[in-house]
Amino acid sequence: MAAIRLARGVTGRNKILKFSGCYHGHVDSMLIKAGSGLAGTSSASSLGIPEGVSQDTLICELDSEDAVNQVFAQHPGQIAAVAIEPLPANNGLLPQRQEFLKFLREKTKSEGSLLLFDEVISGFRVAFGGMVEVTGIEPDLVTYGKIIGGGLPVGALAGKKNVMEHLAPLGGVYQAGTLSANPLAMVGGLTTLKELTPIFYKNLEQTTANVVKMFDKFLKEQFTTMSLPHTTGLFWFSPAQDLRQVETIDNHILAENFQKLFSLLLEKGIYLAPNGYEVCFASSAHQKVLGDLEERLWT
Ligand SMILES: *Cc1c(COP(=O)(O)O)cnc(C)c1O
């Protein structure tokens, strides 16, 4: 919410471009889905969101330079920011082409829009510097949450100096709240971040690889259409072998297949998140239980 207000305040523009399949929290302007009409049209995905709000949110398919070019051409000089999860992880795990993310960086720059990386999931997870570090692409704004609270509720916004100095009290974009910089959440977050050493990420990468390898062997026996896209700390029981095929799979088929896997694993004492579009998180704690997991899988 603050990132979007800031992008609008800095650019003096109202419209935000986001992507189908990316989630950016419960703020009205981001609870918008693609409309049934032309590329870029949109409608609210919750009751209680005024049409006026949804009109300023433009939606594109992920991975389509053409769609982005088209929406910019339709709304010249009106798009304040392009928001994306650089590693979309709220609708399955949908790693993007580096060239697509690079294209968004160049396109926003040339159009005078800001690029917003929503790293609420990927930040401090895939690497200490999140997807910014992994891709080497520098957005104008980055949002964080989840990990940075160490289990306590917090969100944060980071950005380049020339953008951030527009926030109050230096600039004219208002941002404040009763629980802003809540001391308890700050201590929880700081304590967590201090654990996140380079060796921690090396171990997490290895642990994720081990967990994925184990499940992969299991899928190969009984769930041959599924695959396990993954990055450090994250993996997904994908319904298809190939990312491009994922879009073509019907929701009901996905749910049915996932239900079978979910039930079978539950019988073995392995509890997945109860929805096929939820990604799985490998944590440092999993290394210790790998042997136990393996035994459960094969009995
Ligand atoms: C969870 C999530 C949010 C929302 O965070 P809240 O703390 O629920 O507001 C935003 N963006 C992404 C990518 C998320 O995964």
Side-chain angles (χ1 to χ4, degrees):
M1 184 178 74
I4 285 165
R5 183 182 301 147
L6 180 56
R8 287 174 166 158
V10 169
T11 59
R13 302 171 176 186
N14 286 339
K15 296 196 186 294
I16 306 290
L17 172 55
K18 77 179 278 288
F19 295 91
S20 287
C22 287
Y23 177 72
H24 302 295
H26 64 278
V27 60
D28 283 0
S29 63
M30 292 290 98
L31 275 184
I32 308 290
K33 60 184 182 211
S36 49
L38 297 165
T41 59
S42 50
S43 67
S45 55
S46 164
L47 293 177
I49 296 174
E51 207 176 306
V53 171
S54 69
Q55 278 169 358
D56 279 331
T57 304
L58 309 165
I59 318 269
C60 282
E61 291 295 315
L62 281 164
D63 193 37
S64 171
E65 280 92 341
D66 287 349
V68 172
N69 282 331
Q70 198 181 329
V71 168
F72 267 100
Q74 283 163 352
H75 305 276
Q78 296 174 56
I79 299 177
V82 172
I84 188 168
E85 287 177 77
L87 179 67
N90 275 290
N91 194 34
L93 186 65
L94 308 171
Q96 295 298 296
R97 284 181 296 120
Q98 165 91 3
E99 302 83 70
F100 180 63
L101 297 174
K102 247 193 186 145
F103 159 79
L104 293 180
R105 174 64 286 180
E106 280 152 23
K107 183 72 180 170
T108 45
K109 196 172 247 170
S110 72
E111 296 281 349
S113 304
L114 302 186
L115 180 62
L116 163 60
F117 272 9
D118 182 349
E119 296 229 52
V120 170
I121 284 185
S122 55
F124 299 97
R125 190 184 307 272
V126 296
F128 193 75
M131 287 300 285
V132 171
E133 179 182 325
V134 169
T135 62
I137 296 169
E138 278 191 21
D140 302 290
L141 285 168
V142 190
T143 50
Y144 298 104
K146 303 198 168 111
I147 285 179
I148 57 156
L152 290 162
V154 63
L157 167 62
K160 290 180 185 280
K161 184 165 186 259
N162 64 338
V163 174
M164 296 300 277
E165 65 194 8
H166 287 263
L167 273 179
L170 282 180
V173 178
Y174 182 77
Q175 152 57 30
T178 305
L179 297 178
S180 289
N182 175 258
L184 188 59
M186 295 305 102
V187 171
L190 205 54
T191 306
T192 302
L193 297 196
K194 282 180 183 159
E195 300 280 324
L196 304 182
T197 57
I199 189 76
F200 173 92
Y201 286 101
K202 254 208 149 19
N203 290 339
L204 184 62
E205 184 181 6
Q206 192 55 54
T207 300
T208 313
N210 291 341
V211 172
V212 165
K213 197 169 145 203
M214 190 181 69
F215 280 121
D216 200 41
K217 198 167 143 208
F218 180 75
L219 290 182
K220 282 207 169 74
E221 299 251 317
Q222 311 193 37
F223 295 87
T224 50
T225 55
M226 295 183 106
S227 66
L228 283 159
H230 60 279
T231 61
T232 299
L234 279 162
F235 60 100
W236 182 41
F237 288 95
S238 167
Q241 290 296 335
D242 183 304
L243 210 56
R244 295 227 154 232
Q245 290 173 322
V246 171
E247 291 162 36
T248 66
I249 289 175
D250 186 88
N251 285 351
H252 298 291
I253 310 250
L254 181 143
E256 219 169 87
N257 283 343
F258 182 77
Q259 179 63 46
K260 277 186 207 142
L261 175 71
F262 178 85
S263 303
L264 188 63
L265 290 182
L266 193 58
E267 271 170 35
K268 295 172 181 292
I270 299 171
Y271 183 39
L272 302 180
N275 178 322
Y277 287 102
E278 292 275 356
V279 296
C280 301
F281 299 104
S283 85
S284 54
H286 285 115
Q287 188 57 38
K288 287 185 234 121
V289 297
L290 274 178
D292 177 53
L293 272 175
E294 179 118 47
E295 208 178 298
R296 284 170 183 274
L297 265 183
W298 298 105
T299 49

